[in-house]
mmCIF file of all heavy atoms in Angstrom:
data_model
loop_
_atom_site.group_PDB
_atom_site.id
_atom_site.type_symbol
_atom_site.label_atom_id
_atom_site.label_comp_id
_atom_site.label_asym_id
_atom_site.label_seq_id
_atom_site.Cartn_x
_atom_site.Cartn_y
_atom_site.Cartn_z
ATOM 1 N N LEU A 42 22.835 -3.797 -5.341
ATOM 2 C CA LEU A 42 22.988 -5.229 -5.099
ATOM 3 C C LEU A 42 24.247 -5.768 -5.758
ATOM 4 O O LEU A 42 24.640 -5.318 -6.832
ATOM 5 C CB LEU A 42 21.777 -5.994 -5.641
ATOM 6 C CG LEU A 42 20.411 -5.661 -5.041
ATOM 7 C CD1 LEU A 42 19.332 -6.465 -5.755
ATOM 8 C CD2 LEU A 42 20.377 -5.934 -3.546
ATOM 9 N N ALA A 43 24.869 -6.723 -5.098
ATOM 10 C CA ALA A 43 25.952 -7.488 -5.705
ATOM 11 C C ALA A 43 25.323 -8.704 -6.369
ATOM 12 O O ALA A 43 24.548 -9.437 -5.748
ATOM 13 C CB ALA A 43 26.963 -7.912 -4.640
ATOM 14 N N GLU A 44 25.610 -8.906 -7.641
ATOM 15 C CA GLU A 44 24.937 -9.954 -8.413
ATOM 16 C C GLU A 44 25.953 -10.855 -9.106
ATOM 17 O O GLU A 44 26.967 -10.388 -9.623
ATOM 18 C CB GLU A 44 24.014 -9.312 -9.447
ATOM 19 C CG GLU A 44 23.239 -10.297 -10.301
ATOM 20 C CD GLU A 44 22.304 -9.597 -11.262
ATOM 21 O OE1 GLU A 44 21.598 -8.664 -10.825
ATOM 22 O OE2 GLU A 44 22.285 -9.963 -12.447
ATOM 23 N N ALA A 45 25.685 -12.132 -9.079
ATOM 24 C CA ALA A 45 26.534 -13.098 -9.770
ATOM 25 C C ALA A 45 25.647 -14.165 -10.403
ATOM 26 O O ALA A 45 24.668 -14.607 -9.806
ATOM 27 C CB ALA A 45 27.522 -13.739 -8.802
ATOM 28 N N ILE A 46 25.992 -14.549 -11.638
ATOM 29 C CA ILE A 46 25.247 -15.581 -12.359
ATOM 30 C C ILE A 46 26.217 -16.693 -12.766
ATOM 31 O O ILE A 46 27.279 -16.421 -13.339
ATOM 32 C CB ILE A 46 24.563 -15.001 -13.617
ATOM 33 C CG1 ILE A 46 23.608 -13.873 -13.231
ATOM 34 C CG2 ILE A 46 23.805 -16.095 -14.359
ATOM 35 C CD1 ILE A 46 22.984 -13.174 -14.426
ATOM 36 N N LEU A 47 25.860 -17.919 -12.437
ATOM 37 C CA LEU A 47 26.650 -19.079 -12.846
ATOM 38 C C LEU A 47 26.005 -19.692 -14.083
ATOM 39 O O LEU A 47 24.831 -20.066 -14.061
ATOM 40 C CB LEU A 47 26.698 -20.112 -11.715
ATOM 41 C CG LEU A 47 27.374 -21.449 -12.081
ATOM 42 C CD1 LEU A 47 28.846 -21.241 -12.367
ATOM 43 C CD2 LEU A 47 27.175 -22.469 -10.959
ATOM 44 N N TYR A 48 26.785 -19.764 -15.163
ATOM 45 C CA TYR A 48 26.286 -20.350 -16.405
ATOM 46 C C TYR A 48 26.779 -21.787 -16.537
ATOM 47 O O TYR A 48 27.955 -22.077 -16.284
ATOM 48 C CB TYR A 48 26.759 -19.537 -17.610
ATOM 49 C CG TYR A 48 26.090 -18.191 -17.701
ATOM 50 C CD1 TYR A 48 26.668 -17.071 -17.111
ATOM 51 C CD2 TYR A 48 24.875 -18.036 -18.372
ATOM 52 C CE1 TYR A 48 26.056 -15.832 -17.188
ATOM 53 C CE2 TYR A 48 24.259 -16.791 -18.466
ATOM 54 C CZ TYR A 48 24.852 -15.701 -17.871
ATOM 55 O OH TYR A 48 24.235 -14.466 -17.948
ATOM 56 N N ALA A 49 25.882 -22.677 -16.908
ATOM 57 C CA ALA A 49 26.228 -24.082 -17.135
ATOM 58 C C ALA A 49 25.282 -24.649 -18.179
ATOM 59 O O ALA A 49 24.102 -24.273 -18.227
ATOM 60 C CB ALA A 49 26.126 -24.878 -15.834
ATOM 61 N N ASP A 50 25.800 -25.541 -19.013
ATOM 62 C CA ASP A 50 24.996 -26.135 -20.094
ATOM 63 C C ASP A 50 24.321 -25.069 -20.938
ATOM 64 O O ASP A 50 23.120 -25.123 -21.245
ATOM 65 C CB ASP A 50 23.942 -27.095 -19.521
ATOM 66 C CG ASP A 50 24.545 -28.387 -19.030
ATOM 67 O OD1 ASP A 50 25.684 -28.695 -19.450
ATOM 68 O OD2 ASP A 50 23.890 -29.083 -18.233
ATOM 69 N N ASP A 51 25.122 -24.062 -21.296
ATOM 70 C CA ASP A 51 24.659 -22.987 -22.187
ATOM 71 C C ASP A 51 23.477 -22.198 -21.627
ATOM 72 O O ASP A 51 22.644 -21.668 -22.374
ATOM 73 C CB ASP A 51 24.272 -23.553 -23.566
ATOM 74 C CG ASP A 51 25.461 -24.138 -24.297
ATOM 75 O OD1 ASP A 51 26.588 -23.646 -24.047
ATOM 76 O OD2 ASP A 51 25.273 -25.056 -25.094
ATOM 77 N N GLY A 52 23.391 -22.123 -20.318
ATOM 78 C CA GLY A 52 22.303 -21.341 -19.712
ATOM 79 C C GLY A 52 22.645 -20.931 -18.297
ATOM 80 O O GLY A 52 23.630 -21.393 -17.705
ATOM 81 N N ALA A 53 21.825 -20.037 -17.766
ATOM 82 C CA ALA A 53 22.016 -19.591 -16.383
ATOM 83 C C ALA A 53 21.548 -20.682 -15.436
ATOM 84 O O ALA A 53 20.375 -21.077 -15.452
ATOM 85 C CB ALA A 53 21.242 -18.305 -16.133
ATOM 86 N N ALA A 54 22.481 -21.220 -14.641
ATOM 87 C CA ALA A 54 22.158 -22.303 -13.724
ATOM 88 C C ALA A 54 21.836 -21.795 -12.321
ATOM 89 O O ALA A 54 20.957 -22.329 -11.650
ATOM 90 C CB ALA A 54 23.317 -23.296 -13.653
ATOM 91 N N GLU A 55 22.567 -20.782 -11.868
ATOM 92 C CA GLU A 55 22.344 -20.236 -10.544
ATOM 93 C C GLU A 55 22.518 -18.726 -10.574
ATOM 94 O O GLU A 55 23.300 -18.192 -11.368
ATOM 95 C CB GLU A 55 23.320 -20.833 -9.513
ATOM 96 C CG GLU A 55 23.147 -22.320 -9.267
ATOM 97 C CD GLU A 55 24.078 -22.813 -8.178
ATOM 98 O OE1 GLU A 55 24.439 -22.003 -7.294
ATOM 99 O OE2 GLU A 55 24.458 -23.987 -8.222
ATOM 100 N N MET A 56 21.777 -18.037 -9.712
ATOM 101 C CA MET A 56 21.905 -16.590 -9.610
ATOM 102 C C MET A 56 21.881 -16.207 -8.134
ATOM 103 O O MET A 56 21.076 -16.721 -7.352
ATOM 104 C CB MET A 56 20.774 -15.872 -10.343
ATOM 105 C CG MET A 56 20.799 -14.352 -10.167
ATOM 106 S SD MET A 56 19.430 -13.509 -11.014
ATOM 107 C CE MET A 56 19.884 -13.810 -12.726
#
Side-chain angles (χ1 to χ4, degrees):
L42 299 177
E44 181 178 314
I46 301 175
L47 174 66
Y48 290 92
D50 287 341
D51 295 331
E55 295 184 28
M56 175 181 292

